[in-house]
Every structure is written in C-alpha cells, then in structure tokens.
C-alpha cells in the first residue's frame, strides 16, 4: 500500500515572516464587515519578504510529497510539489473559503539600499474571491492573477527593480 510522505521546507525566519503576514492580513480581513465592493488589503513595510513568503502566506505552505512503497521507501519519480490549504486565499472553514470577501492583497515595501530608496508593489488576486478585483485597477503593476486555472504574473517587468 502506497502512502504519501510530506516534507515541509523551512529556512531561516521564513515561518516567522509568514506567520506575521498572515496575522496582519487576518486582522484586517476581520476588521471590516461584508462589503458590496471588491476588498483589497494593503500590507506595508520598510522591508518585505520575497515572493515566496507572500505566496506561502496567501496560498499555503509549500510541501513536497512522495509515494511510499510497502516497505516505507519513497518511490523514485513520485515526488509532487504542492501547497497546503492553509493560506489566506486557500483556507476553508465549514467547506467555504474563509477569506472569500478579500478580493486581493497588495504588498508594498520600501527598501533603503545604499543607492537610494527602492519601492515595490505586488498585487495578488484571490482566485476564490466572491467579488473579484478588476485587473485594470492596478494596471501597470505586477499582479498575480488566476488565468486558465492557474495563477500567473501579468505586468511584471523583468529588469525593473522597483516592481
């Protein structure tokens, strides 16, 4: 009988950053009642995690799964990278998406490297939002959006450090 085995990658401080971001977004989501407009939560900081921390906060922690054989050994080639449904956008409560009223989350940060201020704004659309945010609202800014059953970046400049 094959059983799945999960590995949860961690690296210095990421869990703390993800937990802090999750708690911040959760607090803002709870603060407002039901709205009849798309609801965007903005998160600001002098420094920000990379996209991995933001994605894990919203879509769940990355896990690697292997199928195990009857001896308990991992089956070669059976590994699958996926996310646990414990992110702001993917968490279920009584069979429904807990944060469906959140249309998108905007992460803004300003870093102060030696060469001057570096500003970044990234918008993550909730694929399960009850009121989706129109893409035009943040046109020209990097947006992680649902397209063809997957999440994809649009308006993301390749060589622009301010994106």
């Amino acid at each position: 009988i094959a059983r799945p085995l999960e590995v949860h990658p961690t690296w210095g401080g990421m869990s703390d950053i993800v937990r802090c971001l999750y708690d911040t977004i959760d607090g803002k989501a709870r603060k407002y009642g039901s709205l009849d407009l798309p609801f965007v939560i903005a998160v600001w900081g002098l420094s920000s995690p990379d996209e991995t921390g933001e994605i894990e906060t919203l879509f769940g922690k990355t896990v690697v799964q292997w199928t195990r054989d009857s001896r308990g050994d991992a089956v070669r080639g059976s590994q699958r990278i996926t996310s646990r449904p414990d992110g702001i956008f993917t968490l279920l409560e009584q069979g429904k998406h807990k944060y469906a009223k959140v249309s998108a989350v905007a992460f803004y940060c300003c870093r102060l490297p030696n060469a001057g201020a570096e500003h970044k704004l990234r918008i993550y659309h909730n694929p399960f939002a009850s009121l989706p945010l129109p893409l035009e609202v943040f046109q020209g800014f990097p947006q992680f959006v649902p397209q063809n059953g997957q999440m994809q970046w649009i308006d993301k400049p390749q060589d622009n450090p301010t994106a």
Side-chain angles (χ1 to χ4, degrees), residues 54-75:
E54 295 168 353
I55 289 171
E56 284 200 356
T57 299
L58 300 174
F59 295 95
K61 292 180 186 65
T62 301
V63 294
V64 180
Q65 296 178 322
W66 285 274
T67 301
R68 299 168 100 194
D69 62 21
S70 59
R71 296 186 318 256
D73 296 329
V75 176

Side-chain angles (χ1 to χ4, degrees), residues 31-86:
K31 188 174 185 175
Y32 301 95
S34 185
L35 304 171
D36 291 332
L37 296 169
F39 178 36
V40 179
I41 293 177
V43 179
W44 177 84
L46 288 176
S47 64
S48 175
D50 60 11
E51 291 171 19
T52 302
E54 295 168 353
I55 289 171
E56 284 200 356
T57 299
L58 300 174
F59 295 95
K61 292 180 186 65
T62 301
V63 294
V64 180
Q65 296 178 322
W66 285 274
T67 301
R68 299 168 100 194
D69 62 21
S70 59
R71 296 186 318 256
D73 296 329
V75 176
R76 181 179 286 248
S78 68
Q79 67 271 19
R80 195 181 101 199
I81 298 173
T82 185
S83 295
R84 295 174 81 190
D86 60 355

Side-chain angles (χ1 to χ4, degrees), residues 81-161:
I81 298 173
T82 185
S83 295
R84 295 174 81 190
D86 60 355
I88 290 288
F89 293 163
T90 58
L91 186 64
L92 296 176
E93 190 172 77
Q94 299 177 353
K96 296 181 180 178
H97 286 96
K98 182 176 179 181
Y99 299 98
K101 72 177 185 176
V102 177
S103 304
V105 174
F107 287 99
Y108 169 78
C109 75
C110 175
R111 295 186 180 135
L112 303 172
N114 295 340
E118 180 182 327
H119 302 276
K120 291 187 181 244
L121 176 67
R122 289 189 286 264
I123 314 301
Y124 295 84
H125 291 254
N126 184 350
F128 308 107
S130 53
L131 290 168
L133 179 71
L135 299 180
E136 305 81 53
V137 173
F138 287 101
Q139 188 171 7
F141 290 98
Q143 299 183 67
F144 201 49
V145 302
Q147 288 186 342
N148 302 321
Q150 299 183 64
M151 296 301 291
Q152 298 178 355
W153 284 106
I154 61 170
D155 294 330
K156 187 171 184 183
Q158 298 302 314
D159 296 80
N160 184 351

